[in-house]
Amino acid sequence: MRVSCLQLEIADRTPGESLAAALALLDQARGSDLVLLPELWPTGYFAFDQYERHAEAVDGPTVRALADKAKELNTWLLMGSFVERAGSQLFNTTLLVDPAGNTVSRYRKMHTFGYQSQERALLAAGSEPATAATPHGTLGLSICYDLRFPELYRALVDRGVEIFLVAAAWPAARLEPWRLLNRARALENLSYVVACNGAGQSAGVALAGHSMIVDPWGNVVAEAGDGPQVLTCEIDVETVRRARREFPALADRVLR
């Protein structure tokens, strides 16, 4: 399977301008079987004053445009995340769409961030993990701060997940924890991690970039730099299945 992380440059611009930039970058990922976008790229994660104004429903214009693009490119697409409006609540939500443009999984970020962040005050937390069975393996959805909570990834493994997808807006100031946590989640779960981060700045906060793909042994098999980039790599879910047969650590767990 050919996977691509669209390390989009986040900037202080309108969601429409951000959407145009994302669609243009998607054209550079033609031929990929799975494509990921970063967290809250339409507004920028740190543009907290824009959340309410630019929130939209799961059938809003951003989702429709990206679903049409996924269909055009014949690819699975993790839409990064956007501020979802659902009744009186707002969520940090990512959607996985299939090559026909249909939404097959929705994940609302369960671990909202409170440290030097208004996300927790502005957005409601999700309550359920999200997975999707695909011809390329079973995928598990997650967003940024979730990486610090290994129990979520264990819950995903217990649901059959073989490849973790991460949409992030991880800041440059914490680049080394980003690298460490992605490798740890892959290694301890004998799973692939495909993690797409943003580049550029959001409300004056520099993002780390360094989107990466980590194999089930914790090896970084592809890593972007700190600028906008399309990171592409070939992976094979059979590598996960073989690793779990050869080193059955997951079967040796005492607490489940």
Side-chain angles (χ1 to χ4, degrees), residues 54-89:
H54 294 301
E56 57 183 87
V58 292
D59 59 353
T62 299
V63 172
R64 292 198 303 271
L66 288 174
D68 288 344
K69 195 67 175 181
K71 186 174 182 180
E72 175 193 332
L73 299 177
N74 191 35
T75 189
W76 292 83
L77 175 61
L78 186 79
M79 291 187 175
S81 73
F82 63 100
V83 180
E84 176 201 356
R85 187 184 303 281
S88 62
Q89 292 184 301

Side-chain angles (χ1 to χ4, degrees), residues 4-93:
S4 291
C5 295
L6 302 192
Q7 189 166 285
L8 186 66
E9 182 171 16
I10 308 302
D12 296 327
R13 54 192 173 195
T14 69
E17 291 168 337
S18 295
L19 177 58
L23 293 173
L25 205 59
L26 274 162
D27 282 326
Q28 297 182 33
R30 288 182 182 273
S32 296
D33 301 295
L34 170 67
V35 180
L36 286 73
L37 281 163
E39 178 186 20
L40 293 183
W41 56 269
T43 55
Y45 174 86
F46 292 94
F48 303 115
D49 60 340
Q50 300 298 310
Y51 282 12
E52 172 70 32
R53 178 183 177 189
H54 294 301
E56 57 183 87
V58 292
D59 59 353
T62 299
V63 172
R64 292 198 303 271
L66 288 174
D68 288 344
K69 195 67 175 181
K71 186 174 182 180
E72 175 193 332
L73 299 177
N74 191 35
T75 189
W76 292 83
L77 175 61
L78 186 79
M79 291 187 175
S81 73
F82 63 100
V83 180
E84 176 201 356
R85 187 184 303 281
S88 62
Q89 292 184 301
L90 303 179
F91 295 91
N92 186 341
T93 298

Side-chain angles (χ1 to χ4, degrees), residues 1-250:
M1 172 172 61
R2 187 182 190 195
V3 298
S4 291
C5 295
L6 302 192
Q7 189 166 285
L8 186 66
E9 182 171 16
I10 308 302
D12 296 327
R13 54 192 173 195
T14 69
E17 291 168 337
S18 295
L19 177 58
L23 293 173
L25 205 59
L26 274 162
D27 282 326
Q28 297 182 33
R30 288 182 182 273
S32 296
D33 301 295
L34 170 67
V35 180
L36 286 73
L37 281 163
E39 178 186 20
L40 293 183
W41 56 269
T43 55
Y45 174 86
F46 292 94
F48 303 115
D49 60 340
Q50 300 298 310
Y51 282 12
E52 172 70 32
R53 178 183 177 189
H54 294 301
E56 57 183 87
V58 292
D59 59 353
T62 299
V63 172
R64 292 198 303 271
L66 288 174
D68 288 344
K69 195 67 175 181
K71 186 174 182 180
E72 175 193 332
L73 299 177
N74 191 35
T75 189
W76 292 83
L77 175 61
L78 186 79
M79 291 187 175
S81 73
F82 63 100
V83 180
E84 176 201 356
R85 187 184 303 281
S88 62
Q89 292 184 301
L90 303 179
F91 295 91
N92 186 341
T93 298
T94 186
L95 303 175
L96 180 71
V97 299
D98 67 16
N102 301 310
T103 297
V104 296
S105 188
R106 178 182 67 182
Y107 173 66
R108 291 168 168 168
K109 187 178 182 182
M110 295 174 67
H111 300 98
T112 53
F113 196 46
Y115 175 73
Q116 297 180 346
S117 167
Q118 297 178 43
E119 181 187 13
R120 185 171 299 162
L122 297 172
L123 305 183
S127 59
E128 293 293 332
T131 68
T134 79
H136 306 292
T138 302
L139 312 181
L141 282 57
S142 61
I143 301 175
C144 203
Y145 189 43
D146 285 334
L147 280 170
R148 291 185 179 270
F149 300 90
E151 56 272 23
L152 171 60
Y153 296 86
R154 280 290 201 243
L156 291 170
V157 164
D158 287 340
R159 288 165 169 78
V161 167
E162 298 159 304
I163 302 171
F164 299 133
L165 308 183
V166 184
W170 203 278
R174 292 187 286 278
L175 172 58
E176 288 309 314
W178 164 256
R179 286 174 163 151
L180 174 63
L181 290 166
N182 278 302
R183 294 185 65 201
R185 298 296 83 86
L187 178 63
E188 69 194 4
N189 294 293
L190 294 165
S191 303
Y192 273 110
V193 169
V194 183
C196 183
N197 198 24
Q201 292 193 358
S202 172
V205 178
L207 300 180
H210 289 269
S211 298
M212 62 176 58
I213 299 164
V214 187
D215 74 11
W217 301 110
N219 301 307
V220 177
V221 295
E223 182 174 356
D226 57 8
Q229 170 179 351
V230 178
L231 178 71
T232 298
C233 182
E234 297 282 344
I235 68 173
D236 185 352
V237 71
E238 288 300 325
T239 302
V240 175
R241 296 165 185 170
R242 185 170 60 252
R244 291 177 179 180
R245 288 194 304 269
E246 293 176 359
F247 191 76
L250 293 173

